[in-house]
């Protein structure tokens, strides 16, 4: 395979991967009940470190900037903990973590 054809194939693969990730993130939809539940979970468990309503983080990761196409990273971080954040997998159910993702994904209105 010549170099130009190889580069075109690589470029097409990268574009396809980016497009696929963006499409899947854009197609996420959540019920108002899930977002509300996530907001309550956030307020009780996450707000003390990440700031109330994700508006004033004092040193913890600014969740308003969390990549919308990286749900797996979010779930893993919440479940297993990361850096200074403790693991919440033993305290929150999978449904709770999904609701929390809905809240973080949609953002504070």
């Amino acid at each position: 395979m010549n170099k130009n054809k190889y580069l075109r194939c690589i470029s097409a693969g990268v574009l396809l991967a980016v497009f696929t990730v963006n499409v899947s993130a854009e197609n996420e939809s959540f019920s108002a009940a899930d977002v509300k539940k996530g907001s309550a979970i956030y307020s009780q468990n996450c707000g003390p470190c990440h700031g109330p309503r994700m508006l004033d983080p004092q040193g913890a990761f600014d969740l308003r900037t969390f990549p919308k196409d990286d749900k797996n990273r979010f779930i893993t971080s919440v479940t297993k903990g990361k850096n200074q954040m403790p693991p919440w997998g033993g305290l929150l159910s999978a449904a709770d973590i999904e609701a929390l993702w809905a809240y973080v994904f949609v953002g504070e209105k």
Side-chain angles (χ1 to χ4, degrees), residues 21-44:
V21 167
N22 286 340
V23 169
S24 65
E26 288 174 6
N27 287 337
E28 284 252 24
S29 61
F30 306 102
S31 71
D34 284 340
V35 175
K36 184 176 181 179
K37 178 181 177 183
S39 175
I41 293 167
Y42 178 92
S43 292
Q44 181 176 355

Side-chain angles (χ1 to χ4, degrees), residues 68-90:
K68 305 294 187 211
D69 60 351
D70 213 350
K71 179 180 179 180
N72 289 335
R73 179 178 143 208
F74 178 84
I75 290 172
T76 299
S77 296
V78 172
T79 303
K80 296 181 179 183
K82 185 167 181 171
N83 300 328
Q84 300 298 319
M85 187 174 96
W88 292 92

